Amino acid sequence: MIVLFLVLCMVDALLSQLAYKVQEERDHGTFVGNIAEDLGLDITKLSSRRFQSAPNSRSPYLELNLENGVLYVREKIDRELICKQSPSCLLHLEVFLENPLEFFRVEIEVLDINDNAPTFPESEMQVEISESATLGTRFPLESASDLDVGNNSLRSYEMTTNSFFTLDVQTQGDGNKFAELVLKKPLDREQQALHRYVLTASDGGIPQRTGTALLTIKVLDSNDNVPVFEQPVYTVSMPENSPPGTLVIQLNATDQDEGQNGEVVYSFSSHNSPRVREIFSIDPRSGRMEVAGELDYEESNMYQVYVQAKDLGPNAVPAHCKVMVKVLDLNDNAPDISFSTVKESVSEGAPPGTVVALFSVTDKDSEENGQIHCEILGEVPFRLKLSYKNYYTIVTDGVLDRELVPSYTVTVLARDRGSPPLSSTKSIQVQVADVNDNAPRFSQAVYNVYVTENNVPGAYISAVSATDKDDEENSQVSYHILECDIQGMSVFTYVSINSENGYLYALRTFDYEQLKDFSFMVEARDGGSPPLASNATVNIVIVDQNDNAPSIIAPHGRNGTAKELLPRTAEPGYLFLRVVAVDLDEGENARLTYSILRGNDMSLFRMDWRTGELRTARKITSKRDPHRPFELVVEVRDHGQPPLSSTGLIQVEIVDGTVEKLNENRRSSRSNDTALDLTLILIIALGSVSFIFLLAMIVLAIRCQKEKKLNIYSCLASDCCVCCCSCCSRQARARKKKLSKSDIMLVQSSNVPSATQVPVEESGSFGSHHHNQNYCYQVCLTPESAKTDLMFLKPCSPSRSTDTEHNPCGAIVTGYADQQPDIISNGSILSSENKHQRTELSYLVDRPRRVNRYGLYLGISSLFA
């Protein structure tokens, strides 16, 4: 039968205590108690709150069901094996729950049952008594032992009824009972030398158990003096851990007899337990009592040693004394630290007081030697908090910053108050979990990027870089350009950025003459929740390139030829003409030099190389035919690298007359020429408009017919190249409108990819420019993109058009020899397997590399689409 007794005492908000009782020798599975029910816990939340027992309190005899809180017997409990003969036998179990932390202490008292009968050391005992023994003399008998305790322990002795002896039962200080044989009638060895009785020892259990031994009393001849100790009880104190051989006490007993009857020998009385005989020894002759085994205060703090002294004479009667040995505690046990639970990591944003670990400390010593002080070593943001008696929690005690210290080694020191004090340490590793508390930081607040004008659209120009001190997703940085306008257009039409690595790409060709610099903001955003961001300014500075040839604006001419009159009477050094030219470039690229290239074979003229003034070098001979003018080819050259130049033809006619008359005739001639030019211009303009309209209608009809047969995905690179080449060849024959470099940008086409013809016309007064080149681009765009994400393919020439079979989107036909990345989308190079998933767009750019002005007829693109 299991007796359950529940004691619930609230120590504080986190502590409760239960007590149960269970009898020993119960079978496996015997119910002890329901801890969860007795504590009023919600059984359904035991698992989520990590209901468990402390590792250092677990017992092999009991088992706790963590699902329902039932405590039951795991294996049979032998009380005598666990607690020896201790009056109280307790098993302790400590359980706790988390979220919030609650701690409970459970005590299980093992109840003794009467499963052991009293037993004597020997089945036969022999006592020798002198016949001269006086009445009332006492003779101690071997004590019986009973492993049970309480009522089940040894209670009484009995012996066979006789007329010579009575049995007197005595109780020791520790509660043990022993029997003494008392002589109540004189003995006569000659009448009866031996007496035999049955000695019975009984316990107090139900049912009662007994043990017996045969008591044989031998009557001896008289030795009428017994040894006498100085005192019946001796008390000594011994420190624990005293080495073997240490003197406990020097006993001395005297006998007034002589000879062997007065020679005393010492021995331990039969009352002593086997453990006493293991720990102590006594010299039979000298009575020196020494330490023979290990003295341990934690095992027992007091020993009662019974010593007897007996002479060597016949019929010797022993004398008895008791030695009380008190064991003094020494500080020989260091504190023991046992961690019950440790968190794997703690958030760097955790508030002070967050629990990190739970541990307990114990010390087997007593009093000051067992009083423990705990502390955390080192400068760490943690502190100790006493939870209950010897249980502590480690809690945060400050702000944690993973970026400064990603992990802490927390070392707990436990030191007792002994002399000298003993201590022990134990360390745990606490990882600091990252919180997104750091915004990305750019390597510099302002980036100055210098880009040479006439760059290839899609070319890499620079990179920005930002770092984030956080970890994992919180440190993954993506880059974005913030929306702004540049000359009335979105910044996304000028530059793009690779969101992964911060590479910047130009989306158009920059023209220094149109745009010298611009700025925009780049945002670096991390992947945390919520994300953090920071900005940096990018200044794009366009570097001038010598891409504009000088343009001659004076004198005015027709069909590239200017006519000037020179009086035959002009003196050497006469200024008859000043050539004026301009260059849209700057610096050295715009510093001009004037010279006569051809037609001055006779050195009649000289030109100032700085001002462009044309003067006579010597007088004109009268023999010069006035109907054969001088044809001077004038060159204007800049100082760029490489230098560019323009030339003009000046026809110098020799006339007779004064300078004033020549000027009057010149003004009249120019007035007539102007009237004629206006009429001719009007006729040419009307004819050109009619022709362009007719040509546009024809092309539109042809394109509509072809679109019915084309598949939107059948744009092959070879076709694109052929189309580009054909459009470029037509462009040379049909130049319609002036083009400036700022107009060269990539515009999305909504129809089937095709090459759009854009005419470009040379401009100037009477000068000519050199090195015109045509460019044709085939561009792909991601179909899901809502922005202008441009991707540029490898350049190809008409002679390499067969290579475009490996490019499903198209190619770039250009006069440049440098190859560009396959496809660039916002700065990232797309793989070939993704290229066929792009909707194709066609762009045609026809731009001379060295022209004065550029024209782009954008209306043709929308008309042809």
Side-chain angles (χ1 to χ4, degrees):
M1 178 178 181
I2 301 175
V3 180
L4 301 177
F5 176 74
L6 175 63
V7 177
L8 180 64
C9 54
M10 299 298 294
V11 176
D12 54 26
L14 297 177
L15 175 64
S16 295
Q17 180 169 317
L18 295 177
Y20 297 100
K21 293 184 179 181
V22 61
Q23 291 182 340
E24 66 174 334
E25 302 298 332
R26 287 299 177 181
D27 295 330
H28 170 74
T30 299
F31 176 84
V32 177
N34 191 323
I35 296 176
E37 181 179 345
D38 295 336
L39 292 175
L41 301 177
D42 188 353
I43 297 178
T44 61
K45 296 182 179 179
L46 294 181
S47 178
S48 62
R49 293 185 63 188
R50 295 185 61 186
F51 179 69
Q52 57 184 305
S53 61
N56 61 338
S57 70
R58 293 171 185 167
S59 171
Y61 302 101
L62 300 173
E63 185 164 350
L64 176 62
N65 189 321
L66 301 180
E67 299 295 329
N68 55 22
V70 173
L71 183 66
Y72 56 90
V73 176
R74 184 176 183 181
E75 65 181 49
K76 285 187 177 183
I77 304 174
D78 190 350
R79 186 188 183 285
E80 290 73 25
L81 180 63
I82 298 175
C83 301
K84 307 299 182 183
Q85 288 185 298
S86 175
S88 177
C89 184
L90 298 177
L91 298 179
H92 297 281
L93 181 64
E94 296 162 345
V95 298
F96 61 92
L97 299 93
E98 296 181 356
N99 300 320
L101 178 66
E102 290 185 290
F103 185 88
F104 304 95
R105 183 181 179 90
V106 181
E107 287 187 354
I108 300 94
E109 182 179 2
V110 181
L111 302 179
D112 182 51
I113 63 173
N114 193 22
D115 57 343
N116 293 281
T119 57
F120 289 93
E122 301 290 338
S123 59
E124 291 186 12
M125 292 187 293
Q126 185 173 352
V127 178
E128 296 180 348
I129 301 176
S130 172
E131 64 178 350
S132 60
T134 60
L135 298 179
T137 302
R138 296 174 176 269
F139 304 94
L141 301 178
E142 287 281 350
S143 297
S145 61
D146 192 338
L147 298 179
D148 296 323
V149 296
N151 293 331
N152 298 325
S153 63
L154 181 65
R155 288 300 180 189
S156 64
Y157 290 91
E158 296 177 358
M159 65 178 297
T160 307
T161 304
N162 63 90
S163 60
F164 292 95
F165 300 95
T166 60
L167 203 59
D168 186 16
V169 178
Q170 300 288 330
T171 302
Q172 298 179 0
D174 56 2
N176 292 328
K177 297 181 181 297
F178 64 92
E180 289 184 340
L181 195 63
V182 181
L183 182 64
K184 68 177 182 178
K185 182 180 180 180
L187 298 176
D188 188 355
R189 189 190 66 83
E190 288 73 24
Q191 292 181 1
Q192 187 177 355
L194 293 175
H195 299 262
R196 289 183 174 90
Y197 308 103
V198 175
L199 183 62
T200 302
S202 303
D203 60 24
I206 301 175
Q208 189 180 56
R209 293 178 178 269
T210 59
T212 60
L214 180 60
L215 176 60
T216 302
I217 300 174
K218 184 179 180 182
V219 181
L220 303 176
D221 282 337
S222 177
N223 179 15
D224 53 359
N225 288 295
V226 298
V228 178
F229 285 99
E230 295 175 352
Q231 57 190 70
V233 178
Y234 297 88
T235 301
V236 295
S237 298
M238 293 290 297
E240 65 172 331
N241 302 325
S242 295
T246 301
L247 174 65
V248 178
I249 189 173
Q250 178 66 57
L251 295 175
N252 183 32
T254 59
D255 193 324
Q256 295 181 358
D257 294 330
E258 293 182 352
Q260 289 187 345
N261 292 334
E263 187 176 348
V264 180
V265 293
Y266 302 88
S267 64
F268 287 132
S269 173
S270 56
H271 302 320
N272 295 303
S273 65
R275 180 59 179 160
V276 170
R277 297 175 185 270
E278 293 176 1
I279 297 176
F280 303 101
S281 66
I282 190 169
D283 188 287
R285 293 292 183 181
S286 64
R288 177 185 174 89
M289 184 176 171
E290 297 178 348
V291 175
E294 181 182 359
L295 276 178
D296 191 354
Y297 177 87
E298 288 69 39
E299 178 182 350
S300 178
N301 60 358
M302 173 71 75
Y303 292 96
Q304 296 183 15
V305 183
Y306 295 92
V307 179
Q308 69 177 11
K310 186 170 61 173
D311 59 35
L312 297 180
N315 307 320
V317 177
H320 298 271
C321 73
K322 181 170 66 174
V323 180
M324 305 291 294
V325 181
K326 293 183 178 180
V327 181
L328 302 179
D329 184 31
L330 294 181
N331 192 24
D332 60 341
N333 291 283
D336 178 62
I337 303 174
S338 177
F339 278 90
S340 300
T341 178
V342 178
K343 283 188 177 180
E344 294 182 357
S345 62
V346 59
S347 173
E348 62 176 326
T354 301
V355 177
V356 176
L358 171 68
F359 68 93
S360 62
V361 290
T362 56
D363 195 317
K364 295 181 180 180
D365 294 322
S366 63
E367 298 179 352
E368 289 188 352
N369 295 333
Q371 295 178 6
I372 305 172
H373 169 72
C374 293
E375 61 179 299
I376 294 179
L377 299 179
E379 295 295 330
V380 293
F382 300 96
R383 63 181 176 87
L384 293 180
K385 180 180 179 182
L386 180 63
S387 293
Y388 162 69
K389 289 187 177 179
N390 59 335
Y391 273 84
Y392 294 84
T393 55
I394 299 177
V395 298
T396 57
D397 189 34
V399 178
L400 303 180
D401 191 346
R402 190 205 63 82
E403 289 71 37
L404 294 178
V405 183
S407 65
Y408 292 91
T409 299
V410 181
T411 302
V412 177
L413 170 68
R415 180 186 294 110
D416 60 30
R417 300 184 184 276
S419 180
L422 299 180
S423 62
S424 60
T425 60
K426 186 166 286 189
S427 301
I428 61 171
Q429 195 75 16
V430 179
Q431 301 292 334
V432 181
D434 186 40
V435 172
N436 190 25
D437 56 349
N438 289 278
R441 295 186 61 183
F442 283 93
S443 58
Q444 54 194 79
V446 178
Y447 292 83
N448 294 319
V449 180
Y450 296 88
V451 181
T452 304
E453 66 172 333
N454 302 319
N455 59 291
V456 178
Y460 167 85
I461 58 175
S462 185
V464 296
S465 175
T467 57
D468 196 313
K469 294 181 180 180
D470 292 321
D471 193 21
E472 297 181 350
E473 291 184 355
N474 296 332
S475 65
Q476 295 178 1
V477 181
S478 60
Y479 302 89
H480 310 276
I481 296 177
L482 299 181
E483 177 68 43
C484 66
D485 289 339
I486 301 173
Q487 292 187 342
M489 299 186 67
S490 173
V491 68
F492 298 118
T493 64
Y494 284 81
V495 290
S496 67
I497 192 169
N498 187 319
S499 62
E500 295 181 357
N501 53 31
Y503 288 0
L504 291 169
Y505 298 88
L507 295 183
R508 60 167 63 191
T509 298
F510 297 128
D511 186 359
Y512 177 82
E513 289 70 38
Q514 299 292 329
L515 180 65
K516 291 181 173 53
D517 59 70
F518 62 92
S519 301
F520 57 90
M521 301 285 288
V522 175
E523 178 188 69
R525 186 185 308 126
D526 60 30
S529 179
L532 301 178
S534 62
N535 299 334
T537 301
V538 179
N539 297 325
I540 303 294
V541 180
I542 311 301
V543 180
D544 185 34
Q545 192 178 40
N546 192 25
D547 58 343
N548 292 285
S551 176
I552 301 175
I553 60 175
H556 297 284
R558 181 183 300 171
N559 296 328
T561 303
K563 295 182 179 181
E564 291 294 331
L565 301 178
L566 178 65
R568 188 182 297 272
T569 60
E571 295 294 329
Y574 173 73
L575 173 64
F576 68 92
L577 177 64
R578 183 175 180 178
V579 177
V580 180
V582 295
D583 194 317
L584 297 180
D585 295 321
E586 289 188 358
E588 288 295 309
N589 296 331
R591 189 163 65 89
L592 304 180
T593 300
Y594 300 87
S595 64
I596 300 175
L597 191 62
R598 295 190 302 275
N600 194 22
D601 298 335
M602 300 176 63
S603 301
L604 292 175
F605 306 97
R606 60 183 175 85
M607 175 172 275
D608 191 310
W609 65 273
R610 290 173 296 181
T611 64
E613 294 178 347
L614 190 60
R615 300 176 183 268
T616 56
R618 52 190 177 87
K619 287 181 65 74
I620 307 299
T621 62
S622 58
K623 298 180 181 180
R624 179 69 183 182
D625 186 0
H627 300 289
R628 189 164 63 90
F630 291 97
E631 293 187 348
L632 300 179
V633 178
V634 178
E635 181 187 53
V636 182
R637 181 183 297 273
D638 61 27
H639 285 73
Q641 292 297 328
L644 302 180
S645 64
S646 296
T647 59
L649 178 62
I650 301 175
Q651 291 183 349
V652 182
E653 297 181 0
I654 306 300
V655 296
D656 296 324
T658 64
V659 177
E660 291 79 4
K661 188 175 183 179
L662 290 176
N663 291 337
E664 183 179 351
N665 293 336
R666 183 179 301 171
R667 286 193 296 269
S668 176
S669 176
R670 287 179 179 175
S671 177
N672 295 334
D673 292 342
T674 302
L676 180 61
D677 289 345
L678 291 176
T679 304
L680 181 61
I681 289 173
L682 289 174
I683 295 173
I684 294 174
L686 291 175
S688 299
V689 170
S690 301
F691 176 76
I692 291 174
F693 178 75
L694 179 61
L695 180 62
M697 296 300 293
I698 294 174
V699 173
L700 181 62
I702 295 174
R703 289 290 304 277
C704 292
Q705 184 66 23
K706 288 184 178 181
E707 286 177 356
K708 297 179 181 179
K709 301 178 182 180
L710 294 176
N711 188 301
I712 195 169
Y713 300 105
S714 62
C715 174
L716 298 176
S718 59
D719 297 337
C720 296
C721 288
V722 173
C723 179
C724 292
C725 294
S726 64
C727 78
C728 294
S729 64
R730 291 196 305 271
Q731 177 187 359
R733 300 192 303 269
R735 296 175 179 173
K736 302 299 181 182
K737 188 179 179 181
K738 294 180 181 180
L739 173 67
S740 65
K741 289 187 291 180
S742 62
D743 296 326
I744 301 177
M745 58 178 291
L746 303 180
V747 183
Q748 181 172 350
S749 175
S750 60
N751 294 332
V752 177
S754 63
T756 303
Q757 179 179 349
V758 181
V760 178
E761 181 183 38
E762 300 174 355
S763 65
S765 57
F766 72 95
S768 62
H769 312 288
H770 309 287
H771 309 294
N772 295 334
Q773 295 185 1
N774 299 324
Y775 300 87
C776 185
Y777 295 85
Q778 178 76 13
V779 183
C780 293
L781 186 69
T782 56
E784 67 275 13
S785 177
K787 298 181 181 179
T788 311
D789 299 338
L790 299 176
M791 294 145 285
F792 301 90
L793 311 181
K794 290 183 179 179
C796 70
S797 63
S799 61
R800 298 191 305 161
S801 61
T802 56
D803 296 338
T804 60
E805 297 176 359
H806 304 290
N807 192 335
C809 269
I812 301 176
V813 180
T814 176
Y816 298 116
D818 299 335
Q819 293 188 353
Q820 304 301 324
D822 289 345
I823 297 179
I824 305 174
S825 176
N826 282 339
S828 61
I829 300 178
L830 303 181
S831 59
S832 60
E833 55 268 25
N834 293 331
K835 294 178 184 178
H836 72 281
Q837 300 176 358
R838 305 292 190 258
T839 305
E840 301 174 354
L841 303 175
S842 299
Y843 302 87
L844 176 64
V845 178
D846 175 35
R847 60 178 301 275
R849 298 192 69 178
R850 300 181 182 94
V851 295
N852 181 28
R853 292 184 178 90
Y854 298 86
L856 175 60
Y857 191 53
L858 299 178
I860 298 299
S861 175
S862 61
L863 179 63
F864 282 12

